[in-house]
Amino acid sequence: SPTRRPSDLSSGINAEYGDDTRWEMTSLLDVEQKEKLFTQHIESLSSKRKRAFVRMLDECEHVTLTSTWKEVRRKIKHDSRFSKLSDDDKEREAEFDRYVTDKLAQAKADFRTLPKETKCITYRSKETLRGANGDAHMREIKQFLKNDKRGLVLDDLPEDRDRILDEHLTELEKVGPPPPPTATKPLAKR
């Protein structure tokens, strides 16, 4: 079985690795140094397995922002990266939950930047949406959002998407019109 703790390093390992020239060099280290190096090595291996697991989830088309562990587990359980992460299914599920949480946070952050990049959304948009042309203006906004991948990512979470958009429109309305280009501060004289 693999050695997972520094305390597992016993005289039995001497017999196993005695012929390895690197093992001879360990006699120059004290126990604390050996334990520190061993712990770093184990953490490095764990990090490598987690990165491989995340790559596997990235490659799996069945993983969405609303996917559950139960749904995804069935699709990925035959991938070697699934079993290499851990023997404990709860640990794999926790890593999956972290992955989805991170992806959701990134998707929301990306979506927040999107309305700032369009000219069809202005400080007057919220008022226009309340008026007679509201439906047409909302169609224009949604069409713009559909033309960008960042606008499509939150399709599975329409409430979140609409809330973020409404927050942006409210903020624009509150701030009001941007200052005219001529109102900027003149450059200081040198």
Side-chain angles (χ1 to χ4, degrees):
S1 78
T3 303
R4 296 188 191 274
R5 296 179 308 277
S7 58
D8 292 343
L9 298 172
S10 63
S11 59
I13 291 179
N14 280 333
E16 189 175 339
Y17 297 108
D19 295 336
D20 191 328
T21 56
R22 296 172 295 179
W23 183 252
E24 293 172 9
M25 291 186 278
T26 63
S27 63
L28 302 173
L29 302 172
D30 64 26
V31 174
E32 283 183 22
Q33 290 172 318
K34 287 179 186 179
E35 287 182 358
K36 182 180 174 187
L37 288 172
F38 183 81
T39 302
Q40 288 174 346
H41 174 67
I42 294 300
E43 288 171 358
S44 170
L45 293 175
S46 175
S47 176
K48 184 178 175 182
R49 286 191 302 267
K50 285 179 183 179
R51 284 192 308 272
F53 188 76
V54 166
R55 271 194 313 276
M56 174 190 63
L57 293 173
D58 281 339
E59 294 167 7
C60 182
E61 67 270 1
H62 304 289
V63 178
T64 66
L65 297 176
T66 58
S67 296
T68 65
W69 173 241
K70 190 176 181 180
E71 296 166 347
V72 173
R73 185 182 186 285
R74 279 183 263 144
K75 307 285 185 188
I76 63 173
K77 67 182 177 184
H78 300 295
D79 192 304
S80 64
R81 296 170 289 187
F82 172 82
S83 57
K84 285 181 182 177
L85 177 66
S86 174
D87 294 335
D88 182 12
D89 201 48
K90 294 230 184 268
E91 188 176 331
R92 288 189 288 247
E93 183 176 4
E95 194 61 37
F96 171 79
D97 290 343
R98 256 189 303 283
Y99 172 83
V100 171
T101 300
D102 292 347
K103 288 293 183 186
L104 182 58
Q106 184 62 51
K108 287 179 179 181
D110 290 346
F111 186 80
R112 279 187 182 91
T113 63
L114 186 57
K116 297 173 185 174
E117 298 173 6
T118 179
K119 292 181 188 333
C120 74
I121 299 176
T122 68
Y123 69 97
R124 291 187 182 135
S125 290
K126 187 102 172 165
E127 184 180 331
T128 305
L129 290 171
R130 289 189 289 257
N133 294 330
D135 290 339
H137 189 51
M138 183 51 84
R139 280 193 301 276
E140 180 184 11
I141 291 171
K142 287 189 175 186
Q143 185 58 44
F144 169 78
L145 297 176
K146 286 181 181 180
N147 289 336
D148 193 297
K149 179 181 163 190
R150 296 170 293 175
L152 298 174
V153 173
L154 291 178
D155 274 354
D156 291 341
L157 300 164
E159 301 86 23
D160 288 351
R161 181 192 59 216
D162 294 345
R163 181 185 46 77
I164 292 169
L165 181 60
D166 187 57
E167 287 170 359
H168 179 70
L169 295 171
T170 302
E171 182 65 23
L172 283 176
E173 183 179 49
K174 187 170 79 174
V175 171
T182 57
T184 58
K185 292 182 182 178
L187 294 174
K189 293 183 181 180
R190 295 178 192 204

